[in-house]
Amino acid sequence: MAKASIVVSQGIQALVGTRDENLRILERSLGIAAHLSAECLEVEGEEEQVRRADDIIADYLTLLSEGHRFSNGDMRDFLRVATSDPEISFKSLVTNSRQRMCGRKFVTPRSLNQLRYFDAMNRSDMLFGIGPAGTGKTYLAVAYAISHLLAKQARRIVLARPAVEAGERLGFLPGTLQQKVDPYLRPLYDALHDLLEAERVERCLANGTIEVAPLAFMRGRSLNESFIILDEAQNATAEQMKMFITRLGFGSKAVITGDVTQIDLPPGKRSGLIEAVDVLADVEGVQFIHFNEKDVVRHGLVQRIIRAYDRYNSRQFRPVPTLRERHGRGPDLTPRP
């Protein structure tokens, strides 16, 4: 066992977090014991892990001295990422995660996969972001698309979603065709209004600079100099997915997002997202970023809910042993009706 005493003369509150939650992250992730007394943080554990904690806190103090300020949420997210991979420097993580101006808001990647996601959008013309709800797949893609548009690197943004009912029968919807499909597209409008002023959103929608449309409206088009996003792609059929990804024109980028655990397609229909992962895995120029519960940036309870569902689903698909197998008599090969 090794010990280290680290003097922390400033930024104590951000370091330890509300009710010491940040210290608990250090303890759980690194397998150490941390005790705060006056201006000194005492760390005890395996030598390598104590050294890792020392490096993280030293980087934190260096960043403070350089003028960087951390909110409690930022610090929690940075610590969660930095302690998950010994190859990651806390200082480089924070530096590379500098806020990016996307419309009227600064957007900051809050996990390692979100950081990779942003970088992949820089490098790739087609990117798949796959993972559970709350990991920022859609929001970050819309934010990047807006920054791309405002920097005049794209002439338009096209946002698409399959119009599939999420396990509910919505029945007849009154109004024009656009009014009928708008409820399916509401999450995309929400992201736009969060990142741009309402007047600017309406102006861009009116002049076609931003288009929000059901996936079916993409058929037969070729989209040049556009940033194209397909959201909820797990609900696209295999035929729709092939149709969408072949819309990519000159000077365009496409981001496809989805959660393969929330497929609402009718029985017998294969998800186009699942098929695309298999078909395009080795295609040069196509990248995949897989998110998990550690990337969830909603309420901390959401992470625990996702883990609980994963455990439940793994038990559901585990084969149940027969009575003969439970008593050690080998598999029961008797035909069953």
Side-chain angles (χ1 to χ4, degrees), residues 51-220:
R51 189 183 307 116
R52 177 71 178 143
D54 193 9
D55 290 343
I56 289 173
I57 296 169
D59 280 350
Y60 167 71
L61 295 174
T62 299
L63 288 163
L64 281 181
S65 68
E66 293 174 354
H68 194 98
R69 293 294 176 263
F70 297 84
S71 70
N72 186 55
D74 287 342
M75 190 64 189
R76 182 183 64 243
D77 293 332
F78 287 138
L79 281 177
R80 206 169 56 195
V81 176
T83 55
S84 67
D85 188 341
E87 299 299 318
I88 298 173
S89 156
F90 182 83
K91 184 176 182 180
S92 65
L93 173 66
V94 175
T95 302
N96 291 333
S97 297
R98 295 289 187 189
Q99 294 177 328
R100 303 163 193 232
M101 191 64 182
C102 300
R104 65 175 179 173
K105 293 186 71 172
F106 285 102
V107 175
T108 305
R110 292 185 174 272
S111 74
L112 182 59
N113 282 328
Q114 287 191 359
L115 187 59
R116 289 170 174 162
Y117 192 50
F118 253 135
D119 290 341
M121 281 189 271
N122 272 327
R123 297 192 309 271
S124 303
D125 287 337
M126 184 171 292
L127 172 66
F128 286 77
I130 303 168
T135 50
K137 306 180 302 296
T138 303
Y139 188 85
L140 290 178
V142 174
Y144 190 95
I146 287 172
S147 67
H148 212 61
L149 180 70
L150 297 180
K152 302 190 183 303
Q153 294 173 298
R155 287 194 299 110
R156 61 193 308 220
I157 297 172
V158 179
L159 309 174
R161 242 185 172 221
V164 175
E165 296 172 359
E168 303 172 19
R169 303 300 300 172
L170 298 181
F172 172 77
L173 293 173
T176 65
L177 180 60
Q178 189 64 44
Q179 290 170 332
K180 291 176 190 292
V181 300
D182 273 356
Y184 298 101
L185 308 172
R186 180 50 50 190
L188 297 174
Y189 285 114
D190 290 343
L192 287 173
H193 282 280
D194 192 49
L195 292 160
L196 291 173
E197 298 83 358
E199 299 80 6
R200 190 166 195 172
V201 172
E202 297 308 318
R203 190 165 61 249
C204 288
L205 290 170
N207 63 25
T209 304
I210 298 177
E211 178 183 354
V212 184
L215 176 57
F217 286 19
M218 297 296 106
R219 189 172 299 278

